[in-house]
Every structure is written in C-alpha cells, then in structure tokens.
Amino acid sequence: MAAWSSNKKWTVLCFLLWITVTCMLYQNQTTFRYIKTFLDNSTGFLSSKTCACQKCLTDYHPWFLERFNKSVNPFLTRENSLSSEAYNWWKNLQNDHAGFTGYRQVEEKLFGTFPIGADFVDPRPDRCRTCAVVGNSDNLKGSRYGPMIDINDVVIRMNGARTKGFEADVGSRTTLHVMYPESAVDLANTTHLVLFPYKTPDIRWLISALTTGSLKFMSYKQAKARITANKDLVMVLNPAFMKYVHEKWLEKHGSYPSTGILTLVLSLHICDEVNVFGYGADKDGNWNHYWEVIESKHHRSAQHNRNYEYNLLTELSDHEKLQMFRG
Ligand code: C5P
C-alpha cells in the first residue's frame, strides 16, 4: 500500500515535470509560472508543508501567485542593496536629488552605522508565525481587539500609532514599528524600527536621529531631530519592494503605495498567518486616527488610491489570505 502510494506520487511528479518542460518549450510563461510555483509548494502534498500552520500563506492559489513574488526580499542589506533601475523609479516619489551614486554613499553609511538586520523573512516548515498588522483607523475605537492583537507572535504598528491609554482596543505589544521621518515616534527597546524610506534624505535622517541628531532635515513636514529606539533592531525597507508593491499589487494605481498597504504586503512576505486590524476610512473616505478627537475630517492624500488599496485588502480576505477585523 505504501509502495503503491509512493509510486503514485512519483507518477504525479513526473507528469507535472513533463507539463513544465512542455510549457517551457512553448514559452507559455504564465502557465509555467503557476506550475513551477505549484511544484515549489507541492511539498505540502508530496512530503512536508512550508509552514506549520493549518494553512500557509504561500499555498498554491492562482490569484495570489499572480501577484506574490517571494524572491523579492523586503529589506535592504549589503546582499540586497537597491539596483539603479529601482532607484530610477524611486527617485521620483518625493523628488530625490541625490543621484544613484549619492544614494549608494548614504546606503554604505547606513550599513556602517547599524547592524542592519533582515530577520523575519524565510518561512520554516516547523514554525507557524502569526502576525497582527495594526493600521491607525478610528474603527479601532471601542473595538476591544487588544487581547486578539497581543496574542499574535508578531505585532506590527505604523507611523504615529500609540498604545498607552488604548490597550483595550489596540493591545500593548509592538514587535515591528514602521515609520518614515515625518511620522516618527519613540520606540521601546524591544521594538524593531522599520524605516520606509521615500527619498535618500530619509536614510540620512535615520542615521542622524539615532546618533548625533545634527541633520537639518528639510521636507514637506517637520521631523523629530532625535528619536529613541534600539539601534541593534533597525531595519530598512528596500525601495525596490515599494516598486514591486506598486506594480504587482496595485497595478500602478496611485502615485505610490501607502504605508498601510506596504506594511500589509510586507506581512505577506514575513508571516505565515496575517490578521488585519485598524484599516478602513470612514464613509466619506477620510483616514482618521484612533487616538484623535476629530474636530474636522482630514487625512486625505492625493498620492494613494485608497479605494483600490482597500479593495485589494478585501480581495485578499475573500481569498482567505488574511483575516480582516473591521471594528
Ligand atoms: O494615517 P497613517 O498613514 O498613519 O495610517 C497608517 C495606515 O493605516 C494607512 O496607510 C492606512 O492603510 C491605515 N488607515 C486606514 N484608515 C484610517 C487610518 C489609517 O485604513 N482611518
């Protein structure tokens, strides 16, 4: 019986390999990619799974695999530095004037200043890593989601997010805190700072804000000259990841992706199970924050296509790639 089952598996494997080769010959790239990914992921039924959860994010799913590219490493490291091609896209987001050579000098300084990490990536068959991605929507007010957020292995917050005084609704743990200079806040010593750089000066700011505080940072908004955070836990998003999200996930809608959608796709790359809280504008399309008393409705932004981003979230939820908690 065992031998018969093993023979059957080999027959299926040979058949799939034969289709793969045929597709290669006909250069049918889309079908080939599906089959290749299926073979990659088929360890689930041929031997073992890619993670230890009941379902793994990267399980075979055509709609998801059309967008998800696991070879795109989210974080900047010496081994995964920014290419000139991605720089040429990125430099237009917020008028970067450094030039590629100028950028590379700053990148080099970054690697020389912090032990820049890229933990959290690679899934492991023996691990089921659950993540809570917590946006800043005021739909968290009164939600009592705190314990459901804190129970996750990794809790990801962003920008001006705070927990003190809001624990019942938003929880109290923070594993990763995503920010850019203009949205920076002080962090606890155990929290990883994840910089989302939108221009070369943002990386210069990070170096200064965690060391001398001497940089005069010129931008559309004032940024704190210094912040408190653990220098050993600094991570920086590779701008090429922004390009990937803009092209593959947003199909170029909006000028560039919002922090919220970037964080969401990041979580698809570093988690095995994703639970999403605090996303959703109010009925007029305003992005209000849970910690604010709203006097006038605000926080609209021309750069991001909020409807498209929210629909993408809904689609991911419909395809059971994440679970949405809507407040
Ligand atoms: O406003 P801020 O950019 O700090 O919020 C972080 C993210 O939280 C946003 O990019 C968005 O995805 C999400 N958000 C939301 N609805 C709100 C406020 C924030 O979906 N009302």
Side-chain angles (χ1 to χ4, degrees):
M1 184 67 190
W4 184 85
S5 150
S6 161
N7 276 346
K8 196 174 160 198
K9 280 177 184 172
W10 278 111
T11 311
V12 172
L13 188 59
C14 289
F15 177 66
L16 291 170
L17 279 170
W18 175 77
I19 297 179
T20 307
V21 171
T22 308
C23 289
M24 278 174 83
L25 288 175
Y26 281 93
Q27 296 188 327
N28 182 340
Q29 294 209 350
T30 307
T31 315
F32 173 63
R33 190 145 43 87
Y34 283 159
I35 293 172
K36 184 181 171 300
T37 317
F38 179 64
L39 280 173
D40 280 353
N41 292 323
S42 64
T43 46
F45 99 102
L46 288 172
S47 57
S48 59
K49 294 176 66 182
T50 53
C51 78
C53 310
Q54 220 172 18
K55 283 175 71 178
C56 304
L57 254 168
T58 51
D59 284 348
Y60 176 70
H61 187 292
W63 179 90
F64 185 74
L65 296 174
E66 187 66 40
R67 292 154 182 83
F68 181 79
N69 181 354
K70 76 172 173 195
S71 71
V72 182
N73 185 336
F75 299 112
L76 265 185
T77 59
R78 275 192 203 278
E79 297 71 38
N80 185 45
S81 63
L82 181 63
S83 66
S84 61
E85 187 230 339
Y87 174 80
N88 283 333
W89 173 83
W90 181 67
K91 70 179 183 190
N92 297 317
L93 304 192
Q94 290 188 9
N95 294 323
D96 188 71
H97 298 300
F100 189 54
T101 311
Y103 165 82
R104 287 307 281 270
Q105 285 165 358
V106 176
E107 199 190 63
E108 205 40 53
K109 189 158 183 213
L110 174 77
F111 298 141
T113 310
F114 307 113
I116 287 288
D119 308 343
F120 295 99
V121 188
D122 303 327
R124 284 203 333 237
D126 60 334
R127 183 173 62 186
C128 172
R129 197 165 38 194
T130 60
C131 294
V133 180
V134 190
N136 290 331
S137 171
D138 64 356
N139 70 19
L140 284 168
K141 273 185 192 156
S143 66
R144 303 267 143 188
Y145 282 152
M148 291 169 73
I149 290 173
D150 278 346
I151 207 171
N152 286 270
D153 299 315
V154 176
V155 179
I156 310 175
R157 302 185 195 273
M158 54 201 88
N159 296 341
R162 56 211 66 185
T163 54
K164 201 164 184 297
F166 301 93
E167 291 87 347
D169 292 336
V170 308
S172 55
R173 293 181 49 234
T174 308
T175 321
L176 302 182
H177 195 123
V178 162
M179 62 175 74
Y180 47 89
E182 299 86 349
S183 75
V185 291
D186 293 333
L187 302 182
N189 201 38
T190 50
T191 300
H192 288 75
L193 187 165
V194 183
L195 179 78
F196 280 8
Y198 291 98
K199 50 195 174 303
T200 304
D202 292 0
I203 301 178
R204 272 199 212 108
W205 167 85
L206 179 73
I207 298 167
S208 170
L210 289 176
T211 56
T212 60
S214 60
L215 182 82
K216 295 252 170 303
F217 181 74
M218 308 288 278
S219 184
Y220 61 91
K221 199 177 155 205
Q222 187 87 20
K224 278 162 156 270
R226 294 193 86 121
I227 55 160
T228 312
N230 188 332
K231 296 184 194 57
D232 295 334
L233 300 183
V234 169
M235 296 159 95
V236 179
L237 194 77
N238 190 322
F241 191 82
M242 298 180 173
K243 183 170 184 282
Y244 152 70
V245 174
H246 188 239
E247 290 172 358
K248 294 288 278 192
W249 288 92
L250 297 180
E251 294 175 348
K252 303 190 180 173
H253 287 84
S255 306
Y256 56 91
S258 72
T259 312
I261 206 73
L262 283 171
T263 309
L264 207 280
V265 180
L266 171 65
S267 77
L268 302 177
H269 280 251
I270 63 175
C271 308
D272 300 311
E273 183 188 301
V274 174
N275 300 298
V276 179
F277 304 83
Y279 278 68
D282 69 10
K283 62 179 176 11
D284 302 318
N286 297 292
W287 259 352
N288 298 310
H289 299 140
Y290 62 83
W291 61 85
E292 289 167 346
V293 179
I294 302 158
E295 278 152 15
S296 62
K297 303 229 169 182
H298 57 305
H299 303 301
R300 280 168 176 273
S301 158
Q303 278 89 19
H304 315 306
N305 187 325
R306 287 176 184 202
N307 287 341
Y308 197 88
E309 291 192 359
Y310 193 76
N311 290 343
L312 175 61
L313 261 181
T314 307
E315 255 186 302
L316 279 161
S317 161
D318 291 347
H319 291 305
E320 297 180 3
K321 288 295 176 186
L322 51 80
Q323 204 176 348
M324 281 270 282
F325 296 83
R326 295 171 200 262

